[in-house]
Amino acid sequence: VLAASLRDLQKDYYLSSETVRALRGVSFDVPEGDYISIMGPSGSGKSTLLNLLGCLDRPTGGSFLLGDEDVAHMSDDKLAETRANRIGFIFQSYNLLQALTVVENIEVPLYYSGDLTPESRQRCIDLATKVGLEDRLDHRPAQLSGGQQQRVAIARSLVNDPRFILADEPTGNLDTATTQEILGILAELNAQGRTIVMVTHEPEVAEQTGRTILMRDGRIQSDERNMAFSGVS
Ligand code: ADP
Ligand code: ADP
């Protein structure tokens, strides 16, 4: 079963002075349960690719199937609904709301999906507990370490129980030990069968995933299984 399938995917950005060809024909399949890292120099199209995978944007050419649904031709509403219900997002800078507590931050996606209920509060507390923040439920982001903030973001990404998780340099602001903690949590989510695609600049991080796609100038330069990867894939 494929979580996603991309064929000759293209993305142009139309500026007043020029057209930027950010993706110039990208093709690959993402089998369900895959754990992929995307690497490549700055400007090679990694963020653009992640934004398309996350249904934050539409391609300008080629095809992109998420499950068996054609994302390129989805309406804006359907795109937003797909994003809210099927995909979890994790960012380098955590993207937490400073005025909200840990539990309230984890609840945020439920506003978008319309699933905020009296019962959902307990689910958010359970998720906070799962990522080791049971003693921090009422803390605000500024009172937490970077690793703890990223744990909040991971719990938030899971609140709608998505099968597909996208992470944009999730360990980019973390030290080595904290990076390993976060990678441990991601490996566990992958072992539960969730599909993960992560952009990273760090080879030591990429080699702990199941597959590395290397981008260059809007194209895939290489796409290889990491033979040392021992996780479920
Ligand atoms: P990476 O994530 O690998 O650094 P990006 O996907 O951010 O690469 O960028 C790929 C190319 O697209 C770059 O030339 C970048 O300047 C351009 N680009 C990215 N986003 C936009 C945008 N919103 N508008 C115009 N150009 C963009
Ligand atoms: P980075 O830290 O790699 O720069 P950003 O914080 O710029 O990543 O996030 C990428 C884009 O995704 C931004 O335009 C941001 O507004 C958008 N975004 C973040 N979270 C969500 C979400 N849950 N749903 C939809 N869009 C989101």
Side-chain angles (χ1 to χ4, degrees):
V1 185
L2 294 181
S5 177
L6 289 63
R7 287 292 171 277
D8 196 26
L9 203 68
Q10 299 175 37
K11 178 67 186 180
D12 294 338
Y13 292 108
Y14 304 105
L15 310 181
S16 53
S17 54
E18 58 170 336
T19 297
V20 178
R21 300 188 59 205
L23 295 181
R24 300 164 179 247
V26 167
S27 304
F28 61 97
D29 288 334
V30 182
E32 236 170 61
D34 225 358
Y35 187 5
I36 300 176
S37 46
I38 299 175
M39 298 194 74
S42 183
S44 60
K46 304 181 298 295
S47 299
T48 299
L49 179 57
L50 208 67
N51 284 347
L52 292 179
L53 285 171
C55 301
L56 295 164
D57 205 351
R58 280 197 203 76
T60 41
S63 80
F64 167 32
L65 301 182
L66 189 65
D68 51 11
E69 296 191 81
D70 178 359
V71 177
H73 298 103
M74 273 183 191
S75 68
D76 284 352
D77 283 353
K78 178 71 182 163
L79 211 58
E81 182 200 315
T82 302
R83 201 156 62 218
N85 289 306
R86 295 180 48 185
I87 302 170
F89 294 93
I90 305 170
F91 302 94
Q92 174 173 12
S93 44
Y94 325 125
N95 291 12
L96 302 177
L97 295 173
Q98 298 300 319
L100 302 186
T101 66
V102 164
V103 170
E104 289 165 350
N105 265 288
I106 296 171
E107 281 179 329
V108 163
L110 299 173
Y111 287 95
Y112 293 103
S113 62
D115 294 321
L116 195 65
T117 63
E119 299 76 49
S120 61
R121 168 59 62 110
Q122 186 57 46
R123 191 146 47 95
C124 294
I125 294 173
D126 292 346
L127 281 168
T129 303
K130 251 188 205 151
V131 296
L133 293 174
E134 60 275 21
D135 298 334
R136 303 270 188 258
L137 299 179
D138 296 320
H139 285 57
R140 291 179 209 282
Q143 301 171 294
L144 302 175
S145 70
Q148 288 171 331
Q149 292 186 62
Q150 194 59 295
R151 286 164 186 264
V152 177
I154 291 173
R156 178 186 57 189
S157 80
L158 296 173
V159 74
N160 278 319
D161 198 23
R163 305 294 302 158
F164 200 14
I165 294 174
L166 299 177
D168 196 351
E169 297 196 50
T171 61
N173 288 335
L174 304 176
D175 62 35
T176 308
T178 313
T179 291
Q180 284 312 123
E181 285 172 24
I182 295 301
L183 289 177
I185 295 174
L186 293 179
E188 205 174 300
L189 296 175
N190 177 240
Q192 292 166 2
R194 293 183 215 262
T195 308
I196 303 177
V197 178
M198 166 167 77
V199 168
T200 181
H201 279 115
E202 303 162 88
E204 323 73 79
V205 168
E207 71 193 17
Q208 295 182 54
T209 68
R211 171 181 174 191
T212 301
I213 292 176
L214 181 61
M215 300 286 300
R216 188 170 191 97
D217 297 333
R219 295 192 172 89
I220 293 179
Q221 179 169 349
S222 65
D223 178 354
E224 287 173 356
R225 291 262 150 217
N226 298 329
M227 290 312 168
F229 181 66
S230 55
V232 178
S233 183

